[in-house]
Amino acid sequence: KHGIRAEYVTARNSKITPSIKMTPSEATRRIEKFRKGDINVIVATSVIEEGLDVPEANVVISYDCLKDTVELAQRFGRARQKESSLTLMTERRDRPLAVLKDAKKLQDNIIKEFDPVQTQKTLMSRQQSQLDR
């Protein structure tokens, strides 16, 4: 079994991943596959920090900010193998999260308000103006 064999785990009604639905039994099944070595990468929301024991994990990469020292301890507890590591990703100073969120909102509004019929009419009108010159 070579290469990356990955699955993901989310909470049942996660606000972080509302479009991804997962039952508790499916999450348990995927964690069991990880424990048995059928998969070797498990991507998870913070659901895996509390209440789910995955001692087989040897690398944890965390993408969200820590709220408190309890969360830090829980994340360290996820990677308990002798040769394990914990990587905490942080926000880039040159790309503050607020700026990225604003850009995402702008992009979402452009997509939401896009009218292909009106766009086509505008393009045709511009082409006609250029031809009339």
Side-chain angles (χ1 to χ4, degrees), residues 68-133:
D68 52 39
T69 56
V70 173
E71 277 192 0
L72 179 61
Q74 288 170 333
R75 289 188 192 164
F76 273 112
R78 293 305 99 199
R80 293 194 307 250
Q81 295 291 316
K82 185 175 183 178
E83 299 290 323
S84 66
S85 67
L86 170 66
T87 301
L88 300 173
M89 306 294 281
T90 59
E91 185 176 333
R92 287 177 51 170
R93 292 174 196 241
D94 64 330
R95 292 189 195 165
L97 193 54
V99 171
L100 296 175
K101 285 180 180 180
D102 288 344
K104 174 80 169 104
K105 282 180 190 175
L106 178 62
Q107 180 183 25
D108 289 346
N109 285 336
I110 290 169
I111 291 168
K112 180 181 170 186
E113 295 174 10
F114 177 71
D115 181 353
V117 173
Q118 184 58 44
T119 301
Q120 184 66 27
K121 286 179 184 177
T122 302
L123 288 173
M124 290 176 75
S125 175
R126 286 181 186 164
Q127 285 176 344
Q128 189 59 48
S129 309
Q130 289 176 353
L131 290 174
D132 292 342
R133 288 184 192 175

Side-chain angles (χ1 to χ4, degrees), residues 49-68:
E49 287 179 1
E50 294 182 44
L52 296 174
D53 190 31
V54 190
E56 295 78 9
N58 64 346
V59 175
V60 172
I61 302 171
S62 180
Y63 289 93
D64 53 347
C65 298
L66 294 168
K67 291 182 217 139
D68 52 39

